[in-house]
């Protein structure tokens, strides 16, 4: 059996596993029935709290990203542009694509010159070109989002103090833009600038919410929209929201601490095969030389990487919690 036939067999097995997973990983019918009953109850209830909760659920559900897309985008290229914008860097889509292509070509060339295995070099090069930039963008987005969420309750408290002192909402947003450093000040400054050129406060904050993609800022935008429709004490409402966001952040830290042991175990188990492979290759390169020349060993190694990726994905889902 040649290399092409072996690759076809491995690809078929992987596809079969993915199809089986998708077939048995659907939503529970009982939970879906309960969700529909709750939606009907909220929709036809006369209780003000139920109506507010229904509006929150509908607004958050409308902003959930579709598969392979980002909320607020209409195509994959637009979704990638929004992701690059969320990093806080001035990267463009063409720069990202050229950088990924250059990284893939560099890794492929270096590995081919080192091993002489063209198929392995192409596979690793494509994996590096597509995976490493994606992980870098994810890391920058998570870091900026964490910095934003850490200072966002302080910004809301500053808004509350401004409102209680008699300042209008638009002016307090400008105070937050100048007083709060980091991503919070940058985003509020962008929202204030959009308001200065004629856009409404709701539109300006909604653009920021679509850019950030965080539940915390979505809660803030929804709170302002509901308060404008129903009236009431905005300062008290925002003060309660700030308290809720602080408790939410505390719960995230507790979950992170409780799942840290499982994550450390997953990192060790996932990295151990690569560490052992690298150490053996460094001590005795001839012992593993056939992994880069023998077609059967190449296919076996690729199959092992696929199964390890599936295991890493499952472990990541097991230690991932949403609040």
């Amino acid at each position: 059996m040649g290399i092409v036939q072996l690759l076809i067999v491995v690809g078929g097995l992987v596809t079969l596993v993915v199809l089986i997973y998708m077939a048995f990983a659907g939503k529970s019918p009982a939970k879906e029935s309960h969700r529909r009953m709750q939606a009907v109850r909220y929709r036809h209830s006369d209780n003000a709290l139920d109506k507010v909760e229904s509006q929150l659920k509908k607004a958050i559900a409308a902003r959930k990203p579709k598969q392979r897309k980002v909320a607020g985008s209409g195509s994959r290229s637009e979704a990638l542009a929004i992701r690059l914008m969320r990093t806080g860097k001035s990267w463009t889509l063409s720069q990202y694509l050229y950088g990924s292509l250059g990284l893939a070509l560099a890794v492929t060339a270096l590995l081919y010159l080192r091993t002489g295995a063209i198929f392995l070099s192409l596979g690793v090069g494509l994996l590096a070109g597509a995976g490493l930039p994606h992980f870098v963008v994810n890391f920058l987005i998570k870091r900026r989002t964490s910095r934003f969420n850490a200072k966002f309750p302080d910004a809301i408290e500053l808004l509350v103090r401004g409102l209680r002192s008699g300042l209008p909402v638009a002016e307090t947003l400008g105070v937050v833009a100048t007083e709060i450093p980091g991503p919070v000040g940058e985003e509020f400054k962008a929202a204030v600038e959009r308001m200065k050129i004629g856009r409404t406060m709701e539109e300006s904050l909604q653009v920021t919410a679509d850019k950030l993609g965080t539940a915390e800022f979505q809660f803030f935008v929804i709170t302002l929209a509901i308060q404008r429709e129903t009236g009431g004490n905005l300062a008290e409402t925002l003060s309660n929201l700030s308290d809720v966001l602080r408790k939410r952040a505390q719960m995230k830290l507790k979950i992170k601490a409780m799942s840290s042991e499982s994550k450390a175990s997953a990192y060790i188990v996932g990295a151990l095969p690569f560490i052992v492979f690298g150490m053996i290759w460094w001590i005795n390169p001839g012992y593993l030389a056939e992994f880069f020349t023998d077609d059967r060993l190449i296919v076996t190694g690729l199959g092992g990487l696929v199964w390890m990726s599936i295991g890493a994905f499952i472990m990541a889902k097991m230690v991932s919690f949403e609040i």
Side-chain angles (χ1 to χ4, degrees):
M1 182 180 294
I3 181 66
V4 178
Q5 289 82 0
L6 288 174
L7 289 175
I8 293 175
V9 171
V10 172
L13 291 176
V14 173
T15 305
L16 179 62
V17 171
V18 172
L19 292 176
I20 293 175
Y21 172 78
M22 294 177 62
F24 289 97
K27 296 182 179 180
S28 172
K31 291 183 179 179
E32 286 297 303
S33 176
H34 179 72
R35 183 187 60 79
R36 288 193 293 268
M37 292 296 294
Q38 291 291 332
V40 172
R41 179 175 70 85
Y42 288 136
R43 192 180 303 119
H44 299 285
S45 176
D46 295 330
N47 190 354
L49 293 177
D50 289 343
K51 290 183 178 180
V52 170
E53 187 173 354
S54 176
Q55 292 179 2
L56 285 172
K57 289 179 179 293
K58 289 170 62 179
I60 294 174
R63 293 183 175 91
K64 285 186 176 180
K66 298 180 181 180
Q67 188 178 10
R68 298 189 183 89
K69 291 186 180 181
V70 177
S73 64
S75 62
R76 295 185 180 181
S77 59
E78 188 177 351
L80 180 57
I82 292 177
R83 281 171 47 82
L84 294 177
M85 184 172 55
R86 288 178 179 176
T87 61
K89 308 294 183 181
S90 58
W91 295 339
T92 62
L93 189 60
S94 59
Q95 290 175 343
Y96 177 84
L97 295 177
Y98 286 139
S100 300
L101 181 60
L103 180 62
L105 292 176
V107 172
T108 301
L110 290 175
L111 193 60
Y112 178 73
L113 293 175
R114 179 68 177 82
T115 62
I118 182 63
F119 291 106
L120 178 65
S121 302
L122 286 174
V124 175
L126 291 176
L127 183 62
L132 288 180
H134 179 77
F135 287 131
V136 170
V137 170
N138 274 346
F139 172 76
L140 294 176
I141 291 175
K142 290 181 179 179
R143 187 179 66 175
R144 190 169 189 270
T145 302
S146 299
R147 292 173 59 193
F148 182 90
N149 292 336
K151 291 290 185 180
F152 188 49
D154 297 334
I156 296 180
E157 290 291 343
L158 185 58
L159 280 173
V160 171
R161 291 195 294 268
L163 292 173
R164 287 175 177 172
S165 64
L167 294 177
V169 180
E171 190 170 345
T172 54
L173 292 177
V175 173
V176 171
T178 56
E179 295 295 331
I180 303 296
V184 176
E186 295 173 1
E187 297 300 336
F188 274 90
K189 183 179 179 181
V192 171
E193 290 177 352
R194 284 191 289 267
M195 293 168 59
K196 289 181 179 179
I197 61 176
R199 304 189 70 172
T200 63
M201 184 178 66
E202 289 81 3
E203 292 178 351
S204 302
L205 294 176
Q206 186 58 55
V207 171
T208 304
D210 292 335
K211 175 184 175 181
L212 292 173
T214 61
E216 286 79 5
F217 198 84
Q218 290 171 1
F219 293 155
F220 173 69
V221 175
I222 293 170
T223 300
L224 291 180
I226 293 176
Q227 193 276 337
R228 280 183 171 271
E229 294 179 1
T230 61
N233 190 346
L234 179 59
E236 186 66 25
T237 303
L238 291 179
S239 179
N240 294 332
L241 177 62
S242 175
D243 184 61
V244 169
L245 294 182
R246 292 185 188 277
K247 292 181 179 179
R248 178 184 174 90
Q250 292 176 359
M251 182 61 67
K252 285 185 177 181
L253 292 177
K254 290 181 180 179
I255 291 176
K256 183 178 180 180
M258 294 175 64
S259 61
S260 59
E261 182 179 356
S262 300
K263 289 182 178 180
S265 301
Y267 292 151
I268 294 172
V269 172
L272 191 60
F274 299 99
I275 295 174
V276 173
F277 188 90
M279 292 179 64
I280 295 177
W281 190 17
W282 179 52
I283 296 172
N284 188 6
Y287 184 76
L288 298 176
E290 292 187 359
F291 267 96
F292 303 102
T293 57
D294 194 312
D295 295 340
R296 294 171 297 178
L297 292 178
I298 292 174
V299 173
T300 303
L302 293 176
L305 290 176
V306 170
W307 284 111
M308 287 187 62
S309 301
I310 295 174
F313 173 77
I314 294 174
M315 287 189 291
K317 288 295 183 181
M318 291 174 64
V319 297
S320 177
F321 302 94
E322 293 184 2
I323 304 176

